[in-house]
Amino acid sequence: MRRREFIKTGGMVMLGSLAAPSLLGETLSSGAINQAVSIPYALEHFGVTESDLRKVLTAALEKGGDYADLFFEHSFSNNISLQDGAVNSAHSNIDFGMGVRVLAGDQTGYAYVENVTLSEMLTAARTAARIATGTVSAKAPVGLTEKTIGHNYYQVKTAWDEIAIKEKMPYLQKLNERVFALDNRVIKVSASLGDSTSHILFANSEGQMYYDYRPMATMVAVCIMQDGDKVENSYASRSFRMGSEFLTDEIIDTMAKEAVTKTSILFQAIKPKGGEMPVVMGAGGSGILLHEAIGHAFEADFNRKNTSIFSSQLNKKICNANINVVDDGTIPFNRGSVNIDDDGVEGQKTYIVREGVLTSYLHDRISAKHYGIASTGNGRRESFRHMPIPRMRATYMEAGNVSEEEIISTVKKGIYAANFTNGQVQIGAGDFTFFVKDGYLIEDGKLTQPIKDINIIGNGPKALADMTMVGNNYKMDNGTWSCGKDGQSCPVTCGMPSALVSKLTVGGES
């Protein structure tokens, strides 16, 4: 069994004396990616043995812990950027290490190392054990057994490490050329293409062991246009758990058109008068409101600690009976999907709200034990340096029973919010402020003047309760969404159909 040498440099873990490594010298074939890769491969990849894992788990439980797990990660990522018509920057990063978690009653101990020698892993395990000292005698971990993952939601045809930088560059150049060709007011385009691949090996004291191969692809195009003395900008982005088959002329064409369309509409847009009014949330990107202002309040750690407004609302009606809210880890190729979460639970589809009733929180292993139920597969972490916590995956509202036109026709005076950018949310209470990049005035049941650069202000749970109509035009926003919580960032997605919120505060002109 050979050991692989790593050099830590400035917070990054770089491979020593190897150029452009292919899975540390091993190429994983397309066929292997599309099938359940064996644990022997994973053990060889990380340079460890089952005996090593058993010894580390035993050390993690030596102070009386109830449970322990090991999370190995090897991730490598690449990014290229285009400015002024040329791909002029590229960078890569390699990260490698493992974390040990110990649970003892309400205590959690965690430690990680960036080299996976047995001695260093044992040191991390004993550190975590001392943090979470239990009251029972030390127990031995159950014998390890490979867990077969039932589904692969992100099968890769061609691994990213098989594609050289020079093969990626033409796609950004095509994107640049396509944006310029669509409108003569375009004065500048910036674009980026990123890819990452993570190898995950997990083992716990209950005898579970699994391996997951996690790809990711992202592309962003920013369009800047000038019309007279006015300059406007907008963007388009896409991200999927895919290999290099992500790169197609179709996605280039779609993103170029989207970036130009979203930018050009801003030249006619005004900033409307503010006040309290009905707001129609456009399909797709409005799901960010669902995620931030409502979804976080469904995460079980906030409810377990009674900091969420929904802490006492389980199995109660909280909104219109036409509303169904889902958090789903099983959508093929979706940025937020997980074959198996970072707690060792398979990805699944969870109804949070069904026909207006709050039916489930989003659980990791700890919260599930607290509530005496099975985990929903929402235990996620940013990397091996972090503990898993309840996190959303792909959060969306299912389609309703009316058309968008019918919804708009009921509004005498209000706004239609098309694209959101950023905002602030008080997670426990759900109070929010979101910035709407563009949309339309609604006057006498029709979309009229384009609008831009406004805020909508309200309370997430109240906005959900005030949602009176849900459209039949469900759309997932497959942009480059990432969710931050407790200092960790995770890839997510969001979506929804068009929906009417009967009243929100719109911050516009006085």
Side-chain angles (χ1 to χ4, degrees):
M1 178 68 66
R2 68 181 186 276
R3 297 283 181 182
R4 298 170 176 83
E5 297 299 322
F6 289 85
I7 303 170
K8 184 182 178 187
T9 308
M12 295 165 50
V13 180
M14 304 298 294
L15 229 125
S17 69
L18 289 177
S22 173
L23 302 188
L24 299 183
E26 300 174 16
T27 300
L28 189 61
S29 69
S30 298
I33 296 171
N34 288 333
Q35 300 167 6
V37 182
S38 67
I39 286 295
Y41 170 85
L43 294 171
E44 167 68 12
H45 184 88
F46 286 98
V48 296
T49 66
E50 283 193 37
S51 176
D52 293 337
L53 303 187
R54 286 193 295 271
K55 289 175 182 176
V56 176
L57 286 168
T58 299
L61 296 175
E62 66 184 16
K63 296 295 183 181
D66 305 312
Y67 167 89
D69 59 34
L70 315 178
F71 185 87
F72 292 79
E73 178 189 3
H74 168 214
S75 295
F76 52 97
S77 59
N78 307 285
N79 187 274
I80 59 173
S81 300
L82 176 145
Q83 294 279 357
D84 302 321
V87 176
N88 55 13
S89 71
H91 68 266
S92 298
N93 181 55
I94 298 175
D95 208 5
F96 184 92
M98 64 84 68
V100 185
R101 178 175 62 158
V102 179
L103 304 181
D106 292 333
Q107 299 180 73
T108 301
Y110 196 77
Y112 68 88
V113 292
E114 294 174 337
N115 286 299
V116 294
T117 63
L118 179 58
S119 62
E120 290 189 63
M121 290 192 293
L122 288 171
T123 298
R126 288 169 178 141
T127 299
R130 285 194 296 271
I131 297 170
T133 301
T135 58
V136 298
S137 301
K139 59 182 180 181
V142 176
L144 295 171
T145 303
E146 178 175 355
K147 178 178 176 61
T148 301
I149 300 176
H151 299 276
N152 185 355
Y153 299 113
Y154 27 86
Q155 293 186 7
V156 169
K157 292 181 180 178
T158 305
W160 281 107
D161 69 308
E162 296 178 22
I163 306 298
I165 287 179
K166 66 180 181 180
E167 296 175 82
K168 303 173 186 176
M169 292 169 58
Y171 290 94
L172 287 188
Q173 290 163 342
K174 283 182 189 178
L175 181 56
N176 175 72
E177 292 163 6
R178 182 62 176 142
V179 172
F180 270 101
L182 288 171
D183 198 305
N184 59 16
R185 294 173 295 176
V186 176
I187 59 173
K188 187 178 180 66
V189 174
S190 60
S192 65
L193 170 63
D195 65 81
S196 68
T197 303
S198 295
H199 299 265
I200 304 298
L201 172 63
F202 176 92
N204 67 18
S205 56
E206 295 177 350
Q208 181 185 18
M209 185 165 49
Y210 75 81
Y211 167 82
D212 197 19
Y213 176 96
R214 299 175 179 175
M216 189 70 76
T218 63
M219 186 180 289
V220 180
V222 178
C223 172
I224 302 174
M225 299 170 65
Q226 183 169 3
D227 192 342
D229 60 353
K230 288 185 177 180
V231 177
E232 298 287 357
N233 71 86
S234 194
Y235 71 98
S237 65
R238 292 291 186 276
S239 183
F240 296 95
R241 285 199 182 277
M242 297 178 73
S244 61
E245 61 274 9
F246 167 78
L247 298 172
T248 64
D249 289 338
E250 180 183 4
I251 200 167
I252 297 297
D253 198 51
T254 299
M255 288 181 60
K257 290 177 180 176
E258 182 179 317
V260 170
T261 300
K262 288 167 66 174
T263 307
S264 62
I265 196 67
L266 298 176
F267 289 109
Q268 290 81 46
I270 62 168
K271 194 168 185 178
K273 289 185 178 180
E276 189 174 78
M277 63 187 74
V279 176
V280 176
M281 316 295 291
S286 294
I288 188 61
L289 174 71
L290 188 69
H291 172 102
E292 291 287 2
I294 302 167
H296 278 297
F298 293 138
E299 290 170 336
D301 49 348
F302 295 123
N303 289 281
R304 180 171 60 88
K305 299 171 186 175
N306 293 313
T307 57
S308 169
I309 197 168
F310 293 118
S311 295
S312 61
Q313 301 297 305
L314 194 63
N315 298 319
K316 295 181 181 179
K317 189 174 186 296
I318 60 172
C319 57
N320 189 292
N322 291 318
I323 293 177
N324 296 286
V325 181
V326 175
D327 186 80
D328 197 346
T330 69
I331 303 171
F333 307 110
N334 189 275
R335 177 174 168 84
S337 287
V338 292
N339 285 331
I340 194 160
D341 77 355
D342 301 331
D343 252 348
V345 178
E346 288 198 45
Q348 53 197 271
K349 179 178 180 179
T350 305
Y351 274 87
I352 310 170
V353 177
R354 192 188 287 268
E355 297 180 349
V357 176
L358 174 56
T359 55
S360 178
Y361 299 134
L362 301 178
H363 292 282
D364 65 353
R365 181 180 292 272
I366 292 175
S367 67
K369 181 180 179 181
H370 173 83
Y371 284 95
I373 60 173
S375 170
T376 56
N378 287 88
R380 303 185 67 196
R381 63 180 101 199
E382 179 178 327
S383 75
F384 69 89
R385 296 181 179 88
H386 304 85
M387 293 182 288
I389 54 177
R391 305 295 299 269
M392 283 172 276
R393 299 160 300 192
T395 310
Y396 59 92
M397 185 180 294
E398 291 187 334
N401 56 359
V402 296
S403 68
E404 183 179 78
E405 291 75 18
E406 289 177 85
I407 295 173
I408 294 169
S409 71
T410 66
V411 179
K412 183 170 180 58
K413 183 181 179 181
I415 68 162
Y416 177 92
N419 292 293
F420 290 74
T421 51
N422 52 31
Q424 294 181 327
V425 178
Q426 184 182 352
I427 291 177
D431 295 329
F432 66 80
T433 299
F434 280 104
F435 185 78
V436 179
K437 180 71 173 176
D438 63 87
Y440 290 88
L441 285 177
I442 304 176
E443 298 173 295
D444 297 322
K446 295 182 179 179
L447 299 181
T448 57
Q449 181 74 35
I451 59 174
K452 65 178 180 179
D453 301 342
I454 62 170
N455 290 316
I456 59 170
I457 303 161
N459 175 270
K462 189 175 187 306
L464 186 64
D466 289 341
M467 203 170 283
T468 56
M469 300 179 76
V470 179
N472 57 12
N473 59 338
Y474 160 76
K475 179 183 177 183
M476 178 65 76
D477 188 309
N478 289 304
T480 55
W481 299 106
S482 291
C483 174
K485 176 182 174 182
D486 292 354
Q488 297 191 45
S489 179
C490 278
V492 296
T493 47
C494 57
M496 65 182 292
S498 298
L500 173 63
V501 181
S502 59
K503 54 181 179 296
L504 286 171
T505 299
V506 175
E509 298 288 352
S510 59

